[in-house]
């Protein structure tokens, strides 16, 4: 079988267009412009690239973007004071603090100081609890993007066997909750899992989110399975820098029914879902109906 390629770049463009339509409607009918505040502490080059991209795409869909760039040695007190200000600013519907934070700042404390209703990353402990109990929450962007692609490809996921490789708070755990919410039978596998190849071979859906280049070979993939590759790993091959996923794409594509490429798969969906979450937060804050097809 030769896998269908799930084009995340095209799907993300569709999501952004849907968000832009809804934003235009909100402005016209309600006089409201959704606003997203992004806080960057320090000068991590990768974080600077992400933050720039987030700001640009926020403006492109017609939302207001508020960027707060703080010195690497910013005190916890000053960062918490800024979050407090953003929490009470009615023009700000979403707040994202770019991670990782410099080592002297307590990440959990900072994340949990964000108003859960504005926590567009879905990292606040209240949102984690709401998701885990199947209640309305803000859902982390990368798993939400994966879920949207799976729903688009399959329609219903009910009864499917899904394995999530990786147990991070940002991807693995919320991904498992979302798949469970869509009535999959879910296994969370990790570095201590016994016989990982066997676990993966039983899965109709494989979500790989471990951050290890090409660790899942094609012969672990069940014929016809759907493979969602969350990994973005920079490697050097034949003297050139290359981006690869957690799955060995060439061999997996020979067995899978559908597969996301790296780059151009899950990656572009993450920011698209951040914009969708900001729109959702704005609608909820104003007592308006949530946008259809853009939430879990
Ligand atoms: N750093 C890398 N990915 C993310 C993300 O999804 N959200 C935040 N806040 N920081 C990140």
């Amino acid at each position: 079988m030769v896998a269908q390629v799930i084009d995340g770049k095209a799907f993300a463009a569709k999501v952004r267009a849907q968000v832009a339509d809804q934003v235009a409607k909100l402005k016209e009918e309600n006089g409201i412009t959704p606003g997203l505040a992004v806080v960057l502490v320090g000068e991590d080059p990768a974080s600077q690239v992400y933050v720039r991209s987030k700001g640009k795409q926020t403006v492109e869909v017609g939302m207001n973007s508020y960027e707060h760039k703080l010195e690497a040695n910013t005190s916890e007190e000053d960062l918490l004071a800024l979050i407090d200000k953003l929490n009470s600013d009615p023009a700000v519907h979403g707040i994202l603090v770019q991670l990782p934070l410099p080592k002297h700042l307590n990440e959990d404390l900072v994340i949990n100081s964000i108003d859960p209703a504005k926590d567009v990353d879905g990292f606040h402990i209240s949102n984690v609890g709401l998701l885990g109990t199947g209640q309305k929450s803000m859902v982390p962007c990368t798993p939400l993007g994966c879920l949207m692609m799976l729903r688009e490809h399959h329609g219903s996921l009910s009864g499917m066997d899904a394995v999530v490789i990786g147990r991070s708070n940002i991807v693995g755990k919320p991904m498992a909750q979302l798949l469970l919410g869509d009535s999959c039978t879910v296994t969370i596998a990790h570095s201590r899992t016994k016989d990982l190849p066997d676990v993966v071979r039983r899965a109709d859906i494989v979500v790989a989110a471990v951050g290890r280049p090409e660790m899942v070979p094609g012969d672990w993939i069940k014929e016809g399975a759907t493979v969602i590759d969350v990994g973005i790993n920079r490697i050097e091959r034949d003297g050139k820098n290359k981006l690869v996923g957690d799955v060995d794409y060439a061999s997996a594509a020979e067995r899978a029914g559908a597969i996301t490429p790296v780059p151009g798969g899950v990656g572009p969906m993450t920011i698209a879902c951040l914009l969708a979450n900001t729109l959702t937060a704005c609608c909820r804050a104003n007592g308006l109906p949530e946008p259809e097809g853009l939430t879990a």
Side-chain angles (χ1 to χ4, degrees):
M1 173 173 269
V2 176
Q4 178 185 334
V5 179
I6 300 178
D7 185 345
K9 200 171 157 198
F11 194 37
K14 200 170 105 182
V15 170
R16 287 196 303 273
Q18 267 176 280
V19 171
D21 271 358
Q22 296 287 322
V23 169
K25 234 169 94 187
L26 265 181
K27 284 187 193 176
E28 201 178 298
E29 293 174 9
N30 307 89
I32 300 165
T33 304
L36 171 65
V38 174
V39 180
L40 173 64
V41 187
E43 270 139 37
D44 178 72
S47 292
Q48 285 179 324
V49 172
Y50 284 132
V51 166
R52 209 172 308 132
S53 193
K54 283 168 190 169
K56 183 168 168 272
Q57 294 190 33
T58 302
V59 171
E60 278 169 2
V61 295
M63 295 182 182
N64 289 327
S65 168
Y66 308 101
E67 275 184 30
H68 295 268
K69 292 185 177 163
L70 308 180
E71 303 277 341
N73 64 358
T74 298
S75 70
E76 202 161 85
E77 193 185 353
D78 285 352
L79 177 56
L80 294 176
L82 170 62
I83 293 173
D84 230 23
K85 207 173 95 195
L86 298 172
N87 281 342
S88 46
D89 184 344
V92 172
H93 304 96
I95 302 170
L96 179 145
V97 177
Q98 184 67 28
L99 303 178
L101 287 171
K103 295 245 175 322
H104 68 284
L105 299 169
N106 180 336
E107 232 162 64
D108 287 337
L109 181 75
V110 170
I111 295 302
N112 290 323
S113 73
I114 298 171
D115 177 349
K118 297 189 179 188
D119 167 38
V120 282
D121 259 329
F123 295 165
H124 190 289
I125 194 73
S126 298
N127 282 316
V128 175
L130 290 167
L131 178 62
T133 50
Q135 299 179 72
K136 192 177 279 193
S137 64
M138 294 306 304
V139 174
C141 305
T142 300
L144 178 59
C146 296
L147 181 76
M148 282 184 186
M149 289 194 285
L150 285 166
R151 283 179 177 169
E152 169 91 355
H153 184 73
H154 285 285
S156 168
L157 309 181
S158 181
M160 295 180 84
D161 282 318
V163 61
V164 179
I165 315 173
R167 54 176 156 179
S168 71
N169 291 336
I170 295 183
V171 183
K173 286 179 202 161
M175 187 75 246
Q177 297 288 3
L178 289 171
L179 291 166
L180 195 57
D182 272 28
S183 301
C184 290
T185 302
V186 184
T187 304
I188 306 179
H190 45 78
S191 55
R192 302 290 175 90
T193 296
K194 278 190 230 159
D195 204 351
L196 182 60
D198 184 57
V199 171
V200 176
R201 278 188 191 114
R202 280 186 268 126
D204 306 309
I205 294 170
V206 179
V207 180
V210 270
R212 284 182 51 197
E214 299 173 331
M215 73 155 283
V216 179
D219 70 359
W220 291 9
I221 303 297
K222 177 160 121 177
E223 249 335 283
T226 301
V227 178
I228 305 289
D229 191 349
V230 181
I232 300 177
N233 308 291
R234 266 166 234 284
I235 62 160
E236 205 186 297
R237 182 170 290 156
D238 306 327
K240 286 187 197 142
N241 288 324
K242 207 173 169 244
L243 276 189
V244 298
D246 291 347
V247 176
D248 178 43
Y249 184 85
S251 60
E254 286 176 13
R255 292 172 65 93
I259 187 166
T260 59
V262 177
V266 176
M269 286 299 289
T270 298
I271 298 184
C273 287
L274 173 68
L275 304 175
N277 276 351
T278 304
L279 173 64
T280 300
C282 178
C283 291
R284 287 181 186 167
N286 288 284
L288 297 166
E290 288 178 18
E292 261 174 57
L294 297 175
T295 55

